[in-house]
Amino acid sequence: MKQTHSLKYACALVLAALGSMSINAFAEDAPAAAAEPTPDWTFPMSVSLVSDYIFRGQSQTWGKPAAQFAIEADHKSGLYAGFFISNVSDHWLPGATVETDLYGGYRGKFTDDLSFDVGGIYYMYPGADWDESFFDGFNDSNKVDTFEAYAALTYKWLTFKTGITLNEYFGWNTNNSPVNGGFAGDLDAGVTGDTSGSYFFELNAAYEVVPSWTVSGQLGRQEINNSKGLDITYYKAGVTKALPMGFSLGAFYSGTNEPDAYEDFLSLDNGHSDSDIAKDTVFVTLTKSF
């Protein structure tokens, strides 16, 4: 009886071991769980409230707040296209209340630290035209819409970007923005010829100093082709705090070399209100990203 009991016990141990080996072997032979495939397309979106819409050192909203929305379609190949909308002021952009931008291009990498971006952006202002200008003699019909090609090179947290307009710079020409009449702040300043080919270049930095806190800076130059006293140097510095639920809060200081042409700029809507379009200012942003 003792031998029979021992034999049964030994057989049970062997069967258990074989069962364990079979399970382990099956587990080793089973394929690993498939990694989540990279989607062909992603569609990042954002909604922002800004206390002032600053574009290359110049207020697009006459110093007033703006609501903005952006959406982008990004393909895993690097191709992308996007749309941006913001309110603007007809004091600065004749007949304009809304800016709607269409843009697209290609992003790629040379290395993990070095990337590039090339593309184009079309700034559109529905209903805006220089014939909406208040000033007599400076109101020939001419669209404000502008097409700009751009290229950027990024190394880690530092980006150099440049671009050039392929048509007139926001419709500026010798009729609506001439020397001796186009800019009340400096009568010697103004457009002297075709503003197509106006270009900019800028250096941008964004560095996360501690988790959720990013400091950023910008230094740039906008050159207006065939003009006097209108070129502008602009800069910006600030900090952004990432918040829960995709929100972020930013505070920035924006400044320029303050060309006289942009001081006491007379409203194109009513002819008597004035604003320092390129003055140094502080603005804040609240953004929700999706």
Side-chain angles (χ1 to χ4, degrees):
M1 291 293 293
K2 288 182 179 180
Q3 289 180 345
T4 303
H5 180 75
S6 299
L7 181 60
K8 289 181 177 179
Y9 181 72
C11 289
L13 289 175
V14 171
L15 290 173
L18 289 174
S20 176
M21 290 174 60
S22 299
I23 291 172
N24 289 338
F26 177 78
E28 290 174 0
D29 292 340
E36 191 73 20
T38 302
D40 288 342
W41 291 94
T42 54
F43 301 91
M45 293 184 290
S46 67
V47 177
S48 298
L49 296 176
V50 299
S51 61
D52 195 352
Y53 175 18
I54 305 294
F55 175 75
R56 296 178 194 160
Q58 299 165 316
S59 175
Q60 308 298 291
T61 47
W62 210 245
K64 300 297 192 297
Q68 302 175 336
F69 170 77
I71 184 171
E72 193 168 287
D74 297 337
H75 191 261
K76 64 181 181 180
S77 66
L79 292 171
Y80 66 90
F83 171 78
F84 168 84
I85 185 169
S86 176
N87 59 287
V88 294
S89 175
D90 57 1
H91 294 298
W92 170 240
L93 297 157
T97 56
V98 175
E99 173 185 330
T100 56
D101 302 342
L102 295 175
Y103 64 92
Y106 179 77
R107 301 185 183 109
K109 289 185 176 182
F110 296 113
T111 69
D112 287 341
D113 291 334
L114 186 62
S115 60
F116 66 89
D117 180 5
V118 292
I121 181 168
Y122 193 63
Y123 303 94
M124 296 184 295
Y125 303 88
D129 195 295
W130 277 96
D131 63 9
E132 298 293 325
S133 171
F134 170 85
F135 297 98
D136 293 335
F138 304 108
N139 54 6
D140 285 355
S141 179
N142 201 38
K143 293 292 186 182
V144 182
D145 299 352
T146 301
F147 182 50
E148 187 175 75
Y150 59 82
L153 190 65
T154 298
Y155 179 72
K156 293 186 177 179
W157 46 269
L158 196 62
T159 299
F160 174 78
K161 186 175 183 179
T162 186
I164 186 169
T165 59
L166 304 183
N167 63 343
E168 289 181 336
Y169 180 83
F170 296 96
W172 288 12
N173 59 29
T174 54
N175 173 260
N176 56 54
S177 305
V179 173
N180 197 28
F183 297 85
D186 182 2
L187 293 180
D188 291 329
V191 173
T192 60
D194 185 3
T195 57
S196 300
S198 297
Y199 62 93
F200 78 95
F201 50 89
E202 62 187 29
L203 192 63
N204 295 277
Y207 187 76
E208 188 177 48
V209 289
V210 294
S212 79
W213 288 90
T214 300
V215 295
S216 61
Q218 179 186 74
L219 176 63
R221 176 75 172 174
Q222 175 70 64
E223 298 276 343
I224 312 299
N225 198 30
N226 291 315
S227 73
K228 293 173 56 180
L230 301 182
D231 301 338
I232 185 171
T233 299
Y234 54 93
Y235 51 89
K236 181 175 66 175
V239 61
T240 303
K241 167 64 176 174
L243 302 173
M245 301 176 60
F247 284 93
S248 63
L249 183 65
F252 303 88
Y253 178 85
S254 173
T256 72
N257 62 332
E258 297 186 86
D260 291 341
Y262 303 116
E263 293 184 9
D264 300 321
F265 186 87
L266 291 178
S267 167
L268 297 173
D269 177 58
N270 59 39
H272 60 80
S273 299
D274 65 79
S275 179
D276 292 342
I277 292 296
K279 68 180 180 181
D280 294 0
T281 189
V282 173
F283 68 97
V284 296
T285 65
L286 177 64
T287 299
K288 165 67 174 176
S289 298
F290 302 89

